[in-house]
Amino acid sequence: MDSFLVWISRFIKGKMMRHMPNMITCVEFEEFIIDYLEGTLSQTDQLKFEKHIRFCRECREYLTAYQHSIELGRIAFKLPDDPVPEDVPEDLVKAILEVTRR
Amino acid sequence: MDKCKTEDVSEHQLIEGVRAGQDIAVSELVKLHGGWMLAVAQRLLRDRALAEDCVQESFIRATQNIDSFEGRSTLKSWLHRIVINSALMKLRSKNRRNESSLDQLLPVFDANDCRIERPWHDIETPEKILLRANMKNIITEKINALPDGYRVVILLRDIEEMSTREVAEALECSEGAVKVRLHRARAALKSLLEPILRGEDENG
């Protein structure tokens, strides 16, 4: 019974997303994400995108997790590495000098 | 102390010195910029020796082409472009490239075009997550688990903060292709980081 209820609610949701005015499906939402985050969505598409976020728990939570992942990656890479030194090894400097001497 | 914050005047003198082939100028250039260039190369190549080769080649290229540096961009961004291109070339010629498929990591939709996503009752903020032991290494490991083509786009856009146009130029593809690839890479990364974000991983 449970899975039937789930199935039916998804079926109804899918129908609503396809037929409500100014509403997009989750698949279309997925395609808009990158432009939304870069601010290059058209005004109308942006409204549809934001309407879908309000309406759809799955996409709302997915988007949050997606943004958190980007942030995690950024911060993790920007934390100082233990072994990458600020100073260039002297032998590398020498090697470059040797090759670049005319 | 930001070693790269030289005044315009002394940077100009440095460039003139390099143009004139002065050892001391070249040496100074390397000492000023080699550190961050090494870091960039190492992120992309994940190999210290390769990264050093890359930086060496980049400086050779830079000094050979110093005449074509017209000061339209900063010296740093000019060097940045050089080291990125050099690293990408090295990546292309590496034998063991990770070209596995992303498919299992991409989001799932049902027959109604509805997203299937397990409810998130709680999501950890990035800052909190990074407080946990060894998280930086775990996360970089996850990013490195991505197929090379996708890993590179995330590095160039999200870490090196290059624009879509700059990435397209560097990868010799369209901006549209960069965007699609970046989005898929980020979606895959989200899947890989999901246990951590949900607090369900065995670490920390």
Side-chain angles (χ1 to χ4, degrees), chain A residues 26-89:
Chain A
C26 298
V27 168
E28 290 164 317
F29 178 88
E30 182 74 16
E31 284 162 24
F32 280 178
I33 290 177
I34 188 101
D35 283 309
Y36 177 75
L37 292 177
E38 295 197 354
T40 52
L41 269 190
S42 71
Q43 183 79 301
T44 25
D45 285 344
Q46 196 175 318
L47 287 170
K48 290 179 185 177
F49 188 88
E50 286 165 352
K51 187 168 179 179
H52 187 95
I53 291 181
R54 285 195 294 277
F55 180 69
C56 177
R57 190 264 314 155
E58 283 89 344
C59 286
R60 187 167 57 243
E61 292 180 344
Y62 172 82
L63 186 62
T64 304
Y66 178 99
Q67 288 174 297
H68 276 46
S69 305
I70 301 173
E71 206 40 44
L72 258 182
R74 278 196 187 125
I75 302 176
F77 266 97
K78 292 207 165 144
L79 286 177
D81 265 350
D82 328 78
V84 175
E86 283 285 316
D87 295 322
V88 187

Side-chain angles (χ1 to χ4, degrees), chain B residues 25 27 29 31 69 73 84 115 119 133 154 186 196 198 201:
Chain B
S27 164
L29 183 75
K31 285 178 181 160
F69 174 69
S73 61
I84 291 281
R115 185 186 300 277
I154 281 198
R186 285 166 166 178
I196 295 170
R198 287 186 187 268
D201 61 315

Side-chain angles (χ1 to χ4, degrees), chain A residues 10 30 35 38 87, chain B residues 3 23 110 115 157 179:
Chain A
R10 286 183 158 277
E30 182 74 16
D35 283 309
E38 295 197 354
D87 295 322
Chain B
K3 282 188 191 170
D23 269 6
D110 65 18
R115 185 186 300 277
R157 280 287 283 130
K179 281 188 176 183

